[in-house]
């Protein structure tokens, strides 16, 4: 358990004192019942004493839990430093991509469709499953297939702007008979461009040397997933930054490095009737991003960053203090990322905001409105003279 802040300590002990007073008990009675020295109450009332887990349990048992100001509950990735988040962003994107591909082949319907899409006529994807899996593993060490993948990778990385003909016209096949195009390698028959694209994505997993093989139950040597932690944000949201159209921003640079700047190059056209969403098989490609700055009840600054591959809904602006529970509470989707950078140093706050704006691809800002909001919330504005 994290140590309580000074304000939390005061909150808990005053809550207990108020309760005991309401039932006609003294602080001496309270100290005896809670099993602590009476002198400790004075320390805790000033915020300098410590409240143990055991004492908190006793306070809740006798008095109920104290009520704090309204907060916002979310389940987030928690970071102590903005630079730590930036430094790990690309590697986490890659790890998430590999995990998406792993999840695909664990889906029986999708996996069966893939085996059926590449199996030669004489083999059945169910009866000859192990044989087809062995042929797939041979495919990914085949020089001809690897050469196809390398050429396609170059096309994806060099195709920019509005001209997508190099992708659409890529020769993925090696046999063209009467307009029927197929790729025949390692005994497999790849019958359409979408199947080639999906196998191209799996080639990324093979080349990462994670121990991936079709038909194997051996766990992959993947990095752990970033855990989501439950948090309650208190205080006031004093700044909102947001942007859509992230095609040319640093945010999507991990996608560009892995695939290129054209999503169409790996989009599957409702792959074999399964209607896969791009979020199921693509590296993260963010469409909208939003950052909120909170000034907490304890005068600490926290960034909340929300990344979505679709649209981020909002229902109220920063000045709406109505308490409406719909005040921007867009549903966080399974493919979204919600991040909190906690306890941002007030002296470096403006610098951190500019770093986030640059990451978003937003222009520099004087932050005049932010300084006004900080002052309204009772926070510290560096360089501003306080007139008392």
């Amino acid at each position: 358990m994290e140590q309580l802040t000074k304000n939390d300590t005061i909150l808990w002990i005053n809550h207990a004192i108020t309760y005991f007073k309401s039932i006609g008990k003294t602080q001496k009675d309270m100290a005896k019942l809670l099993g602590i020295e009476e002198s400790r109450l004075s320390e805790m009332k000033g915020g300098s004493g410590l409240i143990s887990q055991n004492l908190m349990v006793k306070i809740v048992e006798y008095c109920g839990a104290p009520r704090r100001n309204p907060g916002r509950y979310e389940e987030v990735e928690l970071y102590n430093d903005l630079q730590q988040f930036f430094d790990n962003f690309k590697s986490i994107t890659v790890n998430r991509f590999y995990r998406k591909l792993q999840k695909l082949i664990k889906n029986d319907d999708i996996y069966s469709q893939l085996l059926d899409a590449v199996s030669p006529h004489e083999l059945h994807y169910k009866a000859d499953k192990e044989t087809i899996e062995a042929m797939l593993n041979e495919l990914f060490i085949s020089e001809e297939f690897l050469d196809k993948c390398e050429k396609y990778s170059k096309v994806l990385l060099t195709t920019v702007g509005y001209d997508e003909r190099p992708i659409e016209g890529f020769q993925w096949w090696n046999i063209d008979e009467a307009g029927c195009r197929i790729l025949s390698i390692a005994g497999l028959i790849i019958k359409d461009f979408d199947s080639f694209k999906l196998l191209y994505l799996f080639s990324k997993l093979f080349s990462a040397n994670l121990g991936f093989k079709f038909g194997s139950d051996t766990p992959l040597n993947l990095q752990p997933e970033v855990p989501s932690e439950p948090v309650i944000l208190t205080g006031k949201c004093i700044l909102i930054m947001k942007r859509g159209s992230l095609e040319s921003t640093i945010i999507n640079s991990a996608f560009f490095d892995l695939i290129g700047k054209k999503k169409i190059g790996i989009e599957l056209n409702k792959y074999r009737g399964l209607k896969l969403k791009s979020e199921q098989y693509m590296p993260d490609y963010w469409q909208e991003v939003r950052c909120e700055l909170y000034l907490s009840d304890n005068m600490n600054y926290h960034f909340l960053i929300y990344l979505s591959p679709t649209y981020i809904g909002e229902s109220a602006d920063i000045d709406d203090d109505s308490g409406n529970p719909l005040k921007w509470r867009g549903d966080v989707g399974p493919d979204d990322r919600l991040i909190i950078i906690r306890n941002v140093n007030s002296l470096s706050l403006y610098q951190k905001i500019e770093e986030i704006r640059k990451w978003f691809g937003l222009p520099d800002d004087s932050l005049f409105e932010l300084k006004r909001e900080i002052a309204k919330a009772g926070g510290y504005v560096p360089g501003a003279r306080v007139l008392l």
Side-chain angles (χ1 to χ4, degrees):
M1 184 189 79
E2 291 190 13
Q3 184 175 317
L4 292 180
T5 65
K6 178 178 178 179
N7 283 8
D8 280 335
T9 299
I10 295 170
L11 173 70
W12 275 82
I13 206 63
N14 282 336
H15 166 70
I17 290 171
T18 301
Y19 173 78
F20 276 94
K21 185 177 179 180
S22 72
I23 60 173
K25 300 289 186 180
T26 66
Q27 291 188 28
K28 184 176 181 179
D29 297 329
M30 170 182 152
K32 182 178 180 181
L33 193 58
L34 295 178
I36 60 175
E37 297 292 331
E38 190 175 355
S39 60
R40 284 191 60 201
L41 292 180
S42 297
E43 294 177 6
M44 287 185 281
K45 283 162 65 177
S48 58
L50 295 178
I51 295 184
S52 66
Q53 178 71 38
N54 184 52
L55 180 54
M56 289 177 68
V57 170
K58 287 185 176 180
I59 291 175
V60 172
E61 179 182 350
Y62 292 117
C63 318
R67 182 176 177 179
R68 61 162 67 245
N69 291 330
R72 171 181 175 179
Y73 176 84
E74 295 289 358
E75 295 179 2
V76 303
E77 301 171 30
L78 203 56
Y79 293 85
N80 294 319
D81 179 74
L82 182 62
Q83 193 58 50
Q84 178 196 18
F85 168 65
F86 285 156
D87 288 345
N88 288 289
F89 188 75
K90 282 192 176 183
S91 61
I92 289 174
T93 299
V94 173
N95 191 53
R96 283 166 57 91
F97 171 51
Y98 292 155
R99 287 186 175 277
K100 288 179 185 182
L101 294 178
Q102 182 187 39
K103 189 175 180 179
L104 276 187
I105 61 170
K106 289 184 177 180
N107 182 299
D108 289 340
D109 287 340
I110 296 172
Y111 192 51
S112 295
Q113 290 276 12
L114 173 62
L115 297 183
D116 186 39
V118 300
S119 59
H121 301 302
E122 66 272 16
L123 298 180
H124 189 273
Y125 70 95
K126 287 185 178 179
D128 303 298
K129 179 172 174 284
E130 292 184 5
T131 301
I132 299 169
E133 288 171 338
M135 295 165 78
L136 275 168
N137 292 326
E138 286 296 317
L139 175 74
F140 286 97
I141 59 174
S142 157
E143 288 188 10
E144 184 179 359
F145 182 72
L146 293 178
D147 181 61
K148 283 280 185 190
C149 289
E150 184 179 353
K151 288 177 178 177
Y152 192 53
S153 179
K154 288 179 180 177
V155 168
L156 293 178
L157 292 171
T158 56
T159 301
V160 295
Y162 295 104
D163 187 3
E164 297 172 345
R165 286 175 296 177
I167 294 173
E168 295 166 350
F170 178 74
Q171 188 176 328
W172 57 271
W173 62 91
N174 60 7
I175 297 175
D176 186 352
E177 295 180 350
C180 181
R181 294 169 174 174
I182 61 171
L183 179 60
S184 177
I185 301 180
L188 297 170
I189 304 297
I190 301 165
K191 307 175 182 72
D192 52 64
F193 198 8
D194 275 2
S195 296
F196 172 79
K197 289 179 182 178
L198 188 55
L199 292 172
Y200 170 76
L201 292 176
F202 277 110
S203 76
K204 301 284 186 182
L205 198 54
F206 261 87
S207 64
N209 297 318
L210 300 171
F212 172 72
K213 284 187 179 297
F214 284 97
S216 173
D217 293 326
T218 304
L220 300 189
N221 186 28
L222 291 167
Q223 294 297 315
E225 291 184 276
V226 180
S228 290
E229 301 185 39
V231 300
I232 297 176
L233 282 163
T234 64
K236 179 177 172 60
C237 175
I238 59 174
L239 176 69
I240 295 173
M241 298 177 283
K242 54 189 176 180
R243 181 173 176 181
S245 302
L246 303 174
E247 292 84 356
S248 59
T249 63
I250 302 172
I251 292 173
N252 280 323
S253 60
F255 181 96
F256 303 151
D257 291 346
L258 278 166
I259 304 298
K261 293 198 173 184
K262 289 293 182 181
K263 286 178 65 179
I264 188 177
I266 54 170
E267 282 181 339
L268 307 179
N269 185 21
K270 298 181 179 179
Y271 182 67
R272 304 192 60 85
L274 290 175
K275 299 182 180 179
L276 292 176
K277 296 191 304 178
S278 60
E279 292 83 13
Q280 291 179 267
Y281 57 85
M282 280 190 187
D284 294 331
Y285 190 93
W286 306 115
Q287 297 287 356
E288 289 201 10
V289 62
R290 177 185 180 102
C291 177
E292 301 179 9
L293 174 64
Y294 281 81
L295 180 56
S296 76
D297 288 344
N298 288 348
M299 294 291 122
N300 294 316
Y301 292 104
H302 309 293
F303 288 120
L304 183 146
I305 299 173
Y306 181 12
L307 293 156
S308 176
T310 55
Y311 170 71
I312 298 176
E314 56 186 84
S315 59
D317 62 30
I318 192 171
D319 294 319
D320 180 0
D321 292 321
S322 64
N324 182 346
L326 296 178
K327 181 180 175 182
W328 179 69
R329 297 293 189 263
D331 291 334
V332 178
D335 302 299
D336 298 344
R337 290 184 66 184
L338 204 59
I339 298 106
I340 283 184
I341 317 296
R342 62 179 177 177
N343 298 328
V344 179
N345 189 311
S346 60
L347 296 178
S348 62
L349 177 64
Y350 302 156
Q351 175 193 339
K352 300 303 180 185
I353 290 172
E354 286 306 319
E355 289 176 10
I356 292 175
R357 290 183 67 84
K358 181 179 179 181
W359 195 63
F360 282 16
L362 295 171
D364 293 342
D365 188 275
S366 68
L367 303 179
F368 179 79
E369 291 301 325
L370 169 64
K371 294 171 187 177
R372 279 189 161 180
E373 291 295 330
I374 292 174
K376 282 166 59 177
Y380 169 64
V381 181
R385 182 180 298 178
V386 181
L387 303 179
L388 301 175

